[in-house]
Amino acid sequence: MFWDPTFIILIPAIILAAYAQFLVSSRFSQYSKVRSTFGFNGTQLARQLLDNAGLYDIKIERIRGNLTDHYDPKKRVVRLSDATHNSTSIAALGVVAHEIGHAIQDKEKYAPLVVRNAVVPVAQIGSSLSWIIFIIGLLMVSPILIRIGIVVFSAFVFFTLVTLPVEFNASSRAKKLLASMGMPSKELKGVSSVLGAAAMTYVASAATSILQLLRMLVLSGAGRD
């Protein structure tokens, strides 16, 4: 991307993204210092929740990094980060339960997840190549390339939007799973606080992609003048 006056369109999203990241860091840090009364660490909780859901074949692996936790539907593996795998904190258990929520979504063929997984290849292309195609189109004054760039990036925008219900639903499932296992309401409030902050990062990502698309449309109009 290059600097131009339309960059101002992105300022609200940049502010939102910075706020969301601050919120995640501060809340995870706060509740990572509060030990749960559950008696499980992250790995133990993940195994228990998976087994309760009948997902005995899904493996649990440790992955380096901080909050790099994720569920890999292709390899059927839940990967827990250094910050959660051996932790007994409220924050860690909330994140772990969220990832198990994704595994259960996969088992149940949760529609938004199925759609999101289907558009991943196109979305990856859209995020990496769309601006290159678009800028070449502007420089060559090629309406076709400009439109292709916009259409390809639109696939990435769609991906960020369909990600929202997937993440919100996984968090909702996480809280229900923990409540069903007897987590005290006070601890559940902490889980809700951490997962709510994490959800803000996805909202910020969607907002950024939408405003980037708007910026493209503004630039494409200026490029025709």
Side-chain angles (χ1 to χ4, degrees), residues 1 13 22-23 32 41 52 57-58 66 69 102 110 112 127-128 132 146 154 189 199 207 210 212 220:
M1 290 180 286
F22 165 77
L23 211 59
S32 64
N41 64 26
N52 289 349
D57 61 318
I58 293 183
N66 185 40
D69 308 73
H102 283 311
Y110 179 62
S127 63
S128 59
I132 296 175
I146 289 173
S154 295
K189 288 181 181 178
I210 291 170
Q212 283 280 29
S220 68

Side-chain angles (χ1 to χ4, degrees), residues 47 58 90 121 123 150 155 167 170 178 187 191 213 221:
R47 186 72 271 159
I58 293 183
I90 292 174
I150 291 174
E167 296 300 331
L178 293 173
E187 294 183 14
V191 168
L213 180 59

Side-chain angles (χ1 to χ4, degrees), residues 1-68:
M1 290 180 286
F2 53 90
W3 173 261
D4 65 86
T6 65
F7 190 80
I8 196 172
I9 294 173
L10 302 180
I11 291 179
I14 292 172
I15 294 173
L16 179 60
Y19 173 69
Q21 193 55 53
F22 165 77
L23 211 59
V24 169
S25 298
S26 61
R27 289 188 182 177
F28 187 84
S29 177
Q30 175 186 353
Y31 288 102
S32 64
K33 299 172 185 175
V34 183
R35 184 175 180 177
S36 172
T37 58
F38 250 27
F40 291 107
N41 64 26
T43 300
Q44 291 167 339
L45 176 66
R47 186 72 271 159
Q48 184 66 54
L49 292 177
L50 288 170
D51 289 350
N52 289 349
L55 297 171
Y56 307 105
D57 61 318
I58 293 183
K59 298 179 181 179
I60 302 168
E61 296 178 352
R62 181 177 177 178
I63 187 172
R64 290 184 178 181
N66 185 40
L67 296 181
T68 49

